Amino acid sequence: HLLGLFGAGAAGAAVGVAAGAAGVGVAMSTGAANASGSGAASAYPFYGEHQAGIVTPAQDRLHFAAFDVSTTIDRDGLIGLLRDWTDAAARLTQGLEVSEGGAVGGSDYAPPADTGEALGLPASGLTITFGFGPGLFADADGVDRFGLAARRPASLEPLPRFQGDALQPERSGGDLCIQACADDPQVAVHAIRNLSRIAFGRASLRWSQLGFGRTSSTSTTQQTPRNLFGFKDGTANIKAEETADVSEQVWVAASDEPAWLAGGSYLVARRIRMIIENWDRVQLGEQEMLVGRSKGSGAPMSGGTEFTEPDFEAEGPTGATLIDTNSHVKLAHPTVNGGMRMLRRGYNFVDGNDELGRLDAGLFFLSFQRSPEQFITVQRSLAADGLNEYLKHVGSAIFAVPGGIRSGEYVGQALFA
Ligand code: HEM
């Protein structure tokens, strides 16, 4: 029924045809192989009940950007920016240039409308997902610049301080965010570059993050990838096909508050530095104890194969539980977190090295949940996680991700209605 309600793409621009079950957009364009050669979907619909880039099978590459809205624009200026971003995103995700003018349509007097580096590349599974930070609803001084204070979701607040946080303000927060995921890094970067350019004078980049090698699978059709600790990551993640869990744990329901966020979600971003030089000196047995899973197969230490449910009661010959009480898997598991889960969609990062010659590497953790409470509960439980000795959370942000739109609407329109 969704197909009748929502268009499959910008007028005349859709390469893909929406064919997914209940909002799980699975669009395939035939022919065009993506540049990474992974053979994944080439174009996903931009329009739909939910924004793309959440239950969409996680692509290989990420460019994530957080923006501060300029003090010089008002409510109409903000709406204008969201309209322009929507128009561009609808085209870019279909493998088109940012606007009709294109990359070679400039004149002697004006730069080209599109920066050009994705010219000739296919859509490469590009999804562009927009989010609204707490600052949009009132700035640091409590000033309600856009007349949105009354519409702020009650739980959309900067995350509380967690044990061990070493947050850097320049890597945290933001009024707006854009998550661009694609199977070709050039395509993801092209999207953020052009959307930043469109925002010039209206919103400026506050921080941004490149990611590679998705650290989650969000569909049962995908192999579980590995994070930079070398462990399979995403085994017990919520998968698009688990539609009951997706509705229960990921999407804001129409009966939730506020109504404008129905069909949306809350996005948490954490830049987690991994002290991999120390980790690499840890014995395999200890690494597996800290995670609670086998490094090779991804099976829980209580036995079985990758997708066997962990048995937290099972004991070894010494009488100790096979899965350590302070292991990551135990502390993150829904059984100790009131049944709370989340859809994880993070990426590995390596951003050069620090002054001590250690790689500035880690996990750019992204999770989507129906309420920030889900992340907060699990992250508090992880205070006892033995992995923390090898981790440092240096960036943090939270955004309300509005639901999807139809062709002709702009992203987040329900917030301004
Ligand atoms: C599971 C690694 C941070 C929440 C896992 C697994 C690994 C892993 C290897 C097991 C495989 C799987 O089910 O995906 C890491 C690493 C982290 C990290 C290396 C930091 C760099 C976090 C954070 C959260 C989190 C910050 C949320 C606050 C979860 C959850 C599970 C999980 C909910 C599934 C537990 C289950 O139901 O079995 N993680 N994780 N992780 N992690 Fe993390």
Side-chain angles (χ1 to χ4, degrees):
H1 65 289
L2 288 171
L3 300 184
L5 268 177
F6 300 101
V15 194
V17 177
V24 182
V26 186
M28 302 284 176
S29 81
T30 45
N34 64 61
S36 71
S38 68
S42 186
Y44 291 106
F46 177 72
Y47 298 103
E49 186 184 2
H50 308 289
Q51 287 196 68
I54 304 173
V55 293
T56 308
Q59 302 92 326
D60 284 339
R61 302 295 186 133
L62 168 83
H63 194 178
F64 190 98
F67 296 82
D68 284 333
V69 181
S70 161
T71 51
T72 60
I73 68 165
D74 60 7
R75 184 182 172 101
D76 287 341
L78 177 60
I79 292 173
L81 172 61
L82 294 172
R83 280 189 194 283
D84 293 347
W85 271 357
T86 302
D87 290 346
R91 292 180 57 88
L92 289 167
T93 53
Q94 304 310 310
L96 299 172
E97 293 172 80
V98 85
S99 73
E100 297 284 336
V104 289
S107 70
D108 290 347
Y109 307 102
D114 186 291
T115 54
E117 71 274 23
L119 202 57
L121 296 178
S124 307
L126 175 69
T127 55
I128 298 175
T129 316
F130 296 93
F132 299 151
L136 210 62
F137 299 85
D139 68 16
D141 302 318
V143 180
D144 179 14
R145 292 165 48 204
F146 308 112
L148 295 173
R151 315 206 80 193
R152 181 177 69 86
S155 54
L156 185 69
E157 289 180 57
L159 290 166
R161 201 194 140 72
F162 298 104
Q163 191 181 310
D165 273 2
L167 303 182
Q168 300 166 342
E170 67 277 16
R171 292 192 194 277
S172 301
D175 296 335
L176 296 165
C177 77
I178 305 177
Q179 172 195 271
C181 299
D183 290 317
D184 182 336
Q186 180 105 345
V187 169
V189 168
H190 173 255
I192 293 296
R193 175 180 177 188
N194 280 275
L195 294 168
S196 306
R197 185 175 181 241
I198 288 168
F200 184 76
R202 297 186 279 181
S204 57
L205 265 179
R206 179 179 172 85
W207 56 269
S208 61
Q209 182 68 51
L210 289 172
F212 64 93
R214 62 185 170 85
T215 58
S216 269
S217 30
T218 53
S219 164
T220 53
T221 60
Q222 297 184 292
Q223 292 254 343
T224 314
R226 290 181 187 271
N227 60 38
L228 294 181
F229 281 162
F231 278 76
K232 287 195 180 181
D233 203 338
T235 302
N237 200 19
I238 296 181
K239 308 279 161 64
E241 295 80 4
E242 299 166 8
T243 47
D245 279 327
V246 171
S247 317
E248 178 66 27
Q249 307 266 358
V250 181
W251 303 131
V252 174
S255 54
D256 293 349
E257 288 289 331
W260 67 263
L261 195 53
S265 193
Y266 290 88
L267 166 58
V268 167
R270 305 279 289 182
R271 186 179 193 273
I272 310 176
R273 172 92 186 266
M274 289 171 159
I275 318 300
I276 54 176
E277 289 76 9
N278 293 0
W279 176 258
D280 293 345
R281 281 185 223 116
V282 176
Q283 292 170 358
L284 175 63
E286 170 137 6
Q287 291 187 358
E288 293 183 325
M289 188 191 79
L290 291 168
V291 173
R293 287 184 177 272
S294 141
K295 195 169 186 177
S297 70
M301 293 313 285
S302 50
T305 56
E306 186 190 344
F307 295 102
T308 307
E309 269 301 305
D311 179 350
F312 297 114
E313 309 301 323
E315 294 176 357
T318 63
T321 53
L322 288 167
I323 301 181
D324 192 73
T325 330
N326 289 338
S327 65
H328 184 72
V329 159
K330 169 81 192 278
L331 296 171
H333 201 266
T335 48
V336 299
N337 292 298
M340 291 186 204
R341 301 181 70 199
M342 61 191 75
L343 185 141
R344 288 171 286 141
R345 218 177 183 287
Y347 287 83
N348 298 318
F349 68 84
V350 177
D351 293 337
N353 58 276
D354 66 17
E355 65 285 359
L356 299 174
R358 301 180 305 190
L359 284 179
D360 181 2
L363 174 69
F364 186 65
F365 176 94
L366 293 170
S367 67
F368 291 88
Q369 46 268 304
R370 181 173 171 181
S371 157
E373 199 54 33
Q374 289 156 260
F375 174 83
I376 293 168
T377 302
V378 176
Q379 181 59 20
R380 285 203 170 124
S381 169
L382 291 176
D385 188 349
L387 277 184
N388 289 341
E389 198 178 329
Y390 306 94
L391 301 176
K392 196 155 97 171
H393 288 238
V394 294
S396 177
I398 183 164
F399 303 94
V401 173
I405 53 166
R406 305 167 201 218
S407 178
E409 296 179 338
Y410 62 89
V411 70
Q413 183 162 329
L415 169 60
F416 299 88

